[in-house]
Amino acid sequence: MTQPTLYTLAAEYRAAAETLADLDIPEEAVRDTLESLAYPLEQKAANVAMFARNLESTAEAIKNAEAEMAARRRAIENRVASLREYLKKQMEYAGIQKIESPYLKIAIKKNPHTVIIDSETIIPVEFMRIPDPPPPMPDKKAISTAIKAGINIHGVHLEQSTRLEIK
C-alpha cells in the first residue's frame, strides 16, 4: 500500500479545516479532528525535511570530493610542468635539440615573440587599448532603501518571498 503524499495530506488537512469551520461543531471536536489530521501531515513533512537534509549532506560530500580531486589534479599538473622544465633544461645544458625514440619525439622549439612592458606610462597612446565604460546598472540596494522610505520609483517594486528553514 502506498503512503499518501505530503501534497495529498496538506490538501486533506486544508479541506477538513475549511469544512469544519463552516459546521456548527464544538470547538474541542474541531481541534481534536484537526489534531488527528495534523499528525500524519507533520510526520510526512518531517520525513521530507530529513530526506532534504540527507541530500544536502550528500551534495556537501560531493563538493568536498570535487575540491580534493581539483587539488590533486593541480598537484599532478604542477609535477608535470616541473618534469618538463627539468627535461628542457637538461637538454639545453647538454646542447641537444631533439631526441627520438620508438615511443615519442622530444624537441626544443622556439616560442613566438612576447612583448614585455617595461613602463606603461611612456607607451604612446596609439598603442593603448581604452576599454568601453560599463553600461549603467540599477543599484538595487539604493532602490530598496528609497522605496522603503516612501519614494515611488517607476519600473520597480519590492517583493518579499518566503523560505523554508530546517534546524
Side-chain angles (χ1 to χ4, degrees):
M1 183 173 117
T2 61
Q3 296 291 321
T5 64
L6 182 59
Y7 176 81
T8 303
L9 291 172
E12 288 174 2
Y13 183 86
R14 184 180 179 114
E18 289 172 356
T19 302
L20 291 171
D22 292 339
L23 299 176
D24 188 25
I25 300 175
E27 189 176 319
E28 188 174 315
V30 171
R31 189 173 33 252
D32 288 346
T33 304
L34 290 178
E35 197 173 289
S36 70
L37 290 173
Y39 177 73
L41 176 67
E42 291 169 358
Q43 185 145 14
K44 189 67 146 188
N47 288 341
V48 169
M50 285 188 276
F51 183 62
R53 274 197 170 166
N54 188 28
L55 290 176
E56 287 171 345
S57 172
T58 301
E60 185 65 29
I62 290 170
K63 184 176 166 184
N64 291 339
E66 288 172 340
E68 290 172 7
M69 289 175 68
R72 186 171 174 221
R73 177 189 47 81
R74 283 189 300 274
I76 290 171
E77 289 170 346
N78 290 339
R79 176 84 170 154
V80 167
S82 175
L83 287 170
R84 285 176 171 268
E85 185 61 25
Y86 170 72
L87 178 59
K88 178 179 162 273
K89 282 184 179 182
Q90 297 312 309
M91 286 176 66
E92 288 173 339
Y93 181 71
I96 300 171
Q97 293 295 310
K98 186 164 68 169
I99 298 174
E100 289 191 32
S101 79
Y103 305 107
L104 46 85
K105 293 179 185 179
I106 306 167
I108 296 177
K109 301 283 185 174
K110 290 188 177 189
N111 289 328
H113 289 92
T114 302
V115 175
I116 307 297
I117 306 295
D118 297 320
S119 174
E120 282 188 22
T121 57
I122 58 175
I123 298 174
V125 73
E126 64 265 17
F127 296 107
M128 299 296 280
R129 262 192 277 163
I130 301 171
D132 294 332
M137 291 177 47
D139 183 350
K140 289 184 177 182
K141 190 170 186 176
I143 292 170
S144 174
T145 303
I147 291 174
K148 287 177 184 175
I151 299 170
N152 185 21
I153 302 172
H154 296 289
V156 296
H157 69 278
L158 290 182
E159 202 172 90
Q160 188 169 29
S161 62
T162 60
R163 72 177 188 289
L164 178 67
E165 186 175 287
I166 302 172
K167 288 188 176 187

